[in-house]
Amino acid sequence: MTYILAIDQGTTSTRAIVFDAAMRPIASAQEEFTQHFPRSGWVEHEPEDLWNTVVSTCRAALGQVEADIAAIGITNQRETTVVWDRETGEPVHKAIVWQD
C-alpha cells in the first residue's frame, strides 16, 4: 500500500503523520523543541533543533508502518528565518521566529 508523509514543523514542536490512500492518519510522532527568549519580545530557535526534530519524528512515524511513501508534504513557519553559511552549511545564528 502507498502512503503520504506529512511534516508539520511548527512554532513549538514538529509532527510527522503518515496517511493512507483514504487520507486517514495511520501513524504519527511529535516532538517539542526549546524556545529561546534572549530579550523581551525576541523568540529564537536552534536551527539544529528544527532539523533534528523533523528527522526524528519522520523516522518514528515511518517506523510504525511498513509502507511505500508516494509523497511528502510539509507545512512550516514560513516567516521564521535561518541564515546558513554557504560554504559550511552551518547556521550563522539561531532562527529568528515569526513571533519576534
Side-chain angles (χ1 to χ4, degrees):
M1 187 168 257
T2 342
Y3 297 95
I4 296 171
L5 173 64
I7 303 165
D8 176 19
Q9 206 298 296
T11 303
T12 60
S13 70
T14 302
R15 182 178 316 269
I17 306 170
V18 179
F19 291 91
D20 67 11
M23 295 310 295
R24 291 181 299 245
I26 60 164
S28 67
Q30 185 261 342
E31 190 175 336
E32 292 184 1
F33 47 82
T34 303
Q35 311 293 301
H36 300 274
F37 305 97
R39 295 185 186 164
S40 178
W42 288 22
V43 184
E44 298 176 343
H45 294 149
E46 288 290 348
E48 294 89 350
D49 290 349
L50 302 178
W51 174 248
N52 290 335
T53 57
V54 168
V55 171
S56 62
T57 56
C58 288
R59 285 181 176 156
L62 292 170
Q64 298 172 38
V65 295
E66 289 189 31
D68 290 328
I69 300 300
I72 299 172
I74 186 166
T75 180
N76 66 342
Q77 317 162 48
R78 291 175 305 279
E79 297 85 3
T80 294
T81 302
V82 179
V83 176
W84 304 90
D85 183 291
R86 180 188 305 237
E87 293 181 17
T88 67
E90 297 296 318
V92 174
H93 190 271
K94 290 182 179 152
I96 299 171
V97 178
W98 66 271
Q99 297 166 305
D100 200 71

